[in-house]
Amino acid sequence: MLISNMEIVPGKRVKKHLGLVQGSTVRAKHAGRDIMAGLKNIFGGELKGYTDLLSEARDGALERLSEQADSIGANAVVNVRFSTSAIAAGASEILVYGTAVVLEDM
Amino acid sequence: MIAEIVIFLVLLLLGFGFGRLAEKRHYRRIREREDAYRSLIVVPGRVLPSQYVHHQSRLVRGNVVISVDYFKVVVAGLRNLVGGRVATFESLLDRARREAILRMQAQARECGADAVYNMKFETSRVSGNAGQSVGSVEVLAYGTALIPRAG
């Protein structure tokens, strides 16, 4: 599955548009990580635990996006966008969406 | 009452000292890596020059969650009273954005790309700990890496 955030793919032509596909995950924070984060709020610096957590969540969302695209017969998702929203205290939703297409060689 | 003031001042000092040290170190690391990645072009535009016609494309991204220090929170709180530029938070976001780009570039270089096009940023607040109003920010940078085809 080719995933790109551009609407054109070099060397390929869009044969068919299959519409919007999306994938999302909702992740809660870890209590242990939260305590570390509390300390970091005094000293400042990177919260490695959260960086990894959100990165993993995006991997999961992208996986769901490709599964959905795969199930409708697409071979690529173009114009992909990411979106993050805090839906509750301590939980955030990661959304990734894009246009499923069938690409062919030019 | 006095104990509270002492705790506040200690936190303020710790935040100021460690926060500044961390920021200085981080900026030094950022500059070193920016020099190393100078040859890997990052473009926010989406018009592809003809030299990339035969390249392969792939989504790459880099993210970082960065926390404010206590001193910055207090200074920003004071700033809120009179308005104006909150310089302490500006440097925080600047560091986060540059770091996110660097991580995206690292991922792009790993798969052999020579450019990243259509780079986009996303900034979101990671909600703070219970009861605390200021937490940390996440910056995500993503774009399409262009990888030359072998042969």
Side-chain angles (χ1 to χ4, degrees):
Chain A
M1 184 67 58
L2 194 155
I3 294 173
S4 166
N5 77 331
M6 295 185 74
E7 52 267 62
I8 49 154
V9 176
K12 307 266 187 189
R13 177 190 301 128
V14 174
K15 194 176 154 202
K16 205 171 162 196
H17 276 274
L18 294 164
L20 188 85
V21 283
Q22 52 175 307
S24 89
T25 49
V26 178
R27 290 290 162 107
K29 296 184 297 182
H30 187 277
R33 283 171 173 168
D34 229 26
I35 293 164
M36 282 304 293
L39 285 176
K40 271 286 165 90
N41 275 338
I42 297 168
F43 303 118
E46 193 197 342
L47 305 177
K48 198 89 188 69
Y50 287 173
T51 304
D52 294 344
L53 180 84
L54 288 163
S55 186
E56 279 160 28
R58 283 205 184 88
D59 284 336
L62 278 169
E63 205 170 292
R64 287 185 185 173
L65 174 94
S66 6
E67 269 168 27
Q68 206 183 356
D70 202 38
S71 72
I72 57 173
N75 64 4
V77 184
V78 293
N79 229 337
V80 161
R81 294 281 177 275
F82 284 105
S83 162
T84 316
S85 49
I87 52 161
S92 54
E93 193 211 15
I94 305 275
L95 170 68
V96 54
Y97 57 100
T99 311
V101 291
V102 178
L103 293 179
E104 60 174 13
D105 286 329
M106 229 165 357
Chain B
M1 186 61 197
I2 289 169
E4 272 170 34
I5 292 172
V6 168
I7 289 172
F8 171 77
L9 287 175
V10 166
L11 286 180
L12 202 65
L13 267 176
L14 280 176
F16 182 74
F18 284 95
R20 267 176 71 121
L21 195 70
E23 184 160 300
K24 240 171 101 179
R25 277 203 200 127
H26 193 195
Y27 265 126
R28 198 168 52 225
R29 232 168 38 238
I30 285 174
R31 277 193 293 270
E32 278 168 10
R33 280 144 71 212
E34 275 178 349
D35 282 337
Y37 285 129
R38 199 77 72 196
S39 60
L40 183 65
I41 314 160
V42 175
V43 182
R46 56 184 193 186
V47 180
L48 274 190
S50 55
Q51 79 232 49
Y52 297 117
V53 163
H54 298 296
H55 281 45
Q56 279 179 309
S57 53
R58 211 196 118 179
L59 190 75
V60 285
R61 61 190 160 88
N63 71 324
V64 61
V65 179
I66 196 162
S67 170
V68 289
D69 61 59
Y70 196 77
F71 178 75
K72 287 189 174 182
V73 174
V74 174
V75 170
L78 290 176
R79 220 352 142 192
N80 263 341
L81 298 176
V82 290
R85 274 181 57 190
V86 190
T88 51
F89 281 180
E90 283 174 355
S91 69
L92 183 85
L93 285 161
D94 177 56
R95 272 160 70 198
R97 294 235 160 76
R98 287 163 78 173
E99 179 70 40
I101 294 179
L102 285 167
R103 287 181 186 182
M104 182 191 71
Q105 283 179 309
Q107 205 185 359
R109 180 151 286 179
E110 223 170 79
C111 54
D114 52 16
V116 179
Y117 265 71
N118 205 13
M119 205 256 338
K120 300 249 183 278
F121 278 125
E122 216 215 33
T123 313
S124 57
R125 225 188 97 199
V126 176
S127 52
N129 319 302
Q132 260 183 301
S133 58
V134 184
S136 21
V137 284
E138 193 215 11
V139 173
L140 166 72
Y142 61 104
T144 300
L146 296 159
I147 307 153
R149 261 176 236 268

